[in-house]
Amino acid sequence: MQIFVANLNNNLADSSNNSEAKDRCSFCFENSILGISSKANENSLNTLGKVQPGDCVWLHANGFYYIALITGTPAAASESCKEYDIGYYVGCKYYLIGSEIPPQSDFSDSMLPSDPGIAEAPYSKELFDFTEKFISQFNQNHTEKKKSN
């Protein structure tokens, strides 16, 4: 597993319209994709090309922190994605962490790319361990709830 960080908000050419950025995030969440702007820089596009199923992406969107577990491979966006200025995407499953950064995660907002797009996260054993454990516990709790119903 490799860990990446992404900036999905305010990635339109005119980032003054935050409601469009929120719509883009909602579109990504509803469609289980991690979408990258068609205007993303070359570094982001190269980094997106490196993600593989099982990798994780940390992001901060609409006031909450998430981990996106990559489930697919990168692809060019369809016409419906382009309405939200998504040029490229990868399938994923989102895990809501919450509105605060868990201190044991060793994550900080300074890790997020300042430009819209995706980047490799600086290596941190704490971040890697927290991410792996968080997803594992979430899936285990979800499985236990299904069995009890």
Side-chain angles (χ1 to χ4, degrees):
M1 171 178 73
Q2 190 168 354
I3 299 179
F4 297 86
V5 290
N7 176 351
L8 299 185
N9 285 332
N10 302 320
N11 60 350
L12 292 173
D14 174 14
S15 61
S16 62
N17 190 342
N18 197 34
S19 66
E20 289 185 41
K22 281 188 176 181
D23 287 343
R24 181 181 315 97
C25 288
S26 297
F27 181 83
C28 287
F29 295 148
E30 290 167 8
N31 290 282
S32 299
I33 62 169
L34 179 71
I36 301 298
S37 172
S38 59
K39 297 165 186 72
N41 64 42
E42 192 172 326
N43 287 340
S44 282
L45 297 178
N46 289 337
T47 302
L48 182 65
K50 294 178 184 178
V51 300
Q52 298 178 14
D55 288 343
C56 292
V57 181
W58 277 71
L59 58 128
H60 186 211
N62 302 330
F64 293 95
Y65 293 91
Y66 299 87
I67 297 172
L69 175 65
I70 302 302
T71 60
T73 56
S78 65
E79 287 303 313
S80 62
C81 293
K82 291 179 182 177
E83 291 179 37
Y84 298 92
D85 186 39
I86 297 170
Y88 306 91
Y89 73 94
V90 62
C92 69
K93 179 177 180 180
Y94 285 100
Y95 294 85
L96 173 64
I97 295 171
S99 60
E100 300 290 325
I101 300 170
Q104 69 275 27
S105 72
D106 198 36
F107 179 81
S108 72
D109 282 328
S110 66
M111 292 179 175
L112 293 169
S114 56
D115 292 330
I118 186 169
E120 292 181 43
Y123 180 76
S124 160
K125 181 173 177 6
E126 291 82 7
L127 181 62
F128 185 91
D129 290 348
F130 176 86
T131 303
E132 192 172 57
K133 186 176 179 182
F134 184 88
I135 291 173
S136 176
Q137 285 180 336
F138 183 93
N139 288 337
Q140 182 179 6
N141 291 343
H142 187 69
T143 301
E144 288 173 2
K145 284 180 184 177
K146 279 186 172 179
K147 287 180 182 178
S148 66
N149 288 337

